[in-house]
Amino acid sequence: QVQLVESGGGLVQPGGSLRLSCAASGSIFGLNAMGWYRQAPGKERELVARITNDGTTDYADSVKGRFTISRDNAKNTVYLQVNRLVPEDTAVYYCNLWIFLGPGLAHNYWGQGTQVTVSS
């Protein structure tokens, strides 16, 4: 069994910052790609950022230069540093991890979601 626990969301004023974390635990053989998605009310879930095994990152155009994704493989954790937040960033943020349960056996997991609200 694998569990993902997200933390770090909250209410922040425009221009503020947060650091989201997603920690995986359980029977983990290894980690592959990791990512963060978000879903605003009435909208589809969208990819915000992702990071590969070798550290290559990719961002949605709307967050480039403001958000930074990183990973700590020793802690089975992926982070999302969100800076210069704007009201349009308000959403539930979900982490998504590809986790190896054994050699060549990768499963995809979602976190429970953490609410980020940007409002004055």
Side-chain angles (χ1 to χ4, degrees):
Q1 289 285 355
V2 172
Q3 292 184 333
L4 303 186
V5 177
E6 295 187 34
S7 61
L11 173 63
V12 62
Q13 293 185 343
S17 299
L18 289 171
R19 190 191 195 204
L20 309 183
S21 300
C22 174
S25 62
S27 302
I28 298 172
F29 181 79
L31 300 173
N32 205 330
M34 301 176 172
W36 286 93
Y37 291 71
R38 68 185 180 185
Q39 187 166 19
K43 295 188 176 181
E44 293 187 354
R45 190 172 298 188
E46 63 174 355
L47 176 66
V48 175
R50 57 190 170 194
I51 183 167
T52 63
N53 245 352
D54 64 3
T56 301
T57 58
D58 187 31
Y59 297 92
D61 288 343
S62 60
V63 307
K64 281 181 181 177
R66 300 188 298 120
F67 291 11
T68 302
I69 188 170
S70 61
R71 59 191 288 166
D72 185 336
N73 290 336
K75 295 181 178 180
N76 294 333
T77 300
V78 60
Y79 304 97
L80 186 68
Q81 178 68 40
V82 297
N83 298 326
R84 290 186 281 142
L85 285 162
V86 297
E88 291 73 25
D89 295 319
T90 296
V92 178
Y93 284 70
Y94 298 91
C95 61
N96 180 269
L97 276 63
W98 282 97
I99 296 175
F100 287 105
L101 305 183
L105 180 63
H107 281 212
N108 188 253
Y109 294 89
W110 288 93
Q112 83 278 13
T114 186
Q115 177 71 47
V116 172
T117 302
V118 184
S119 175
S120 55

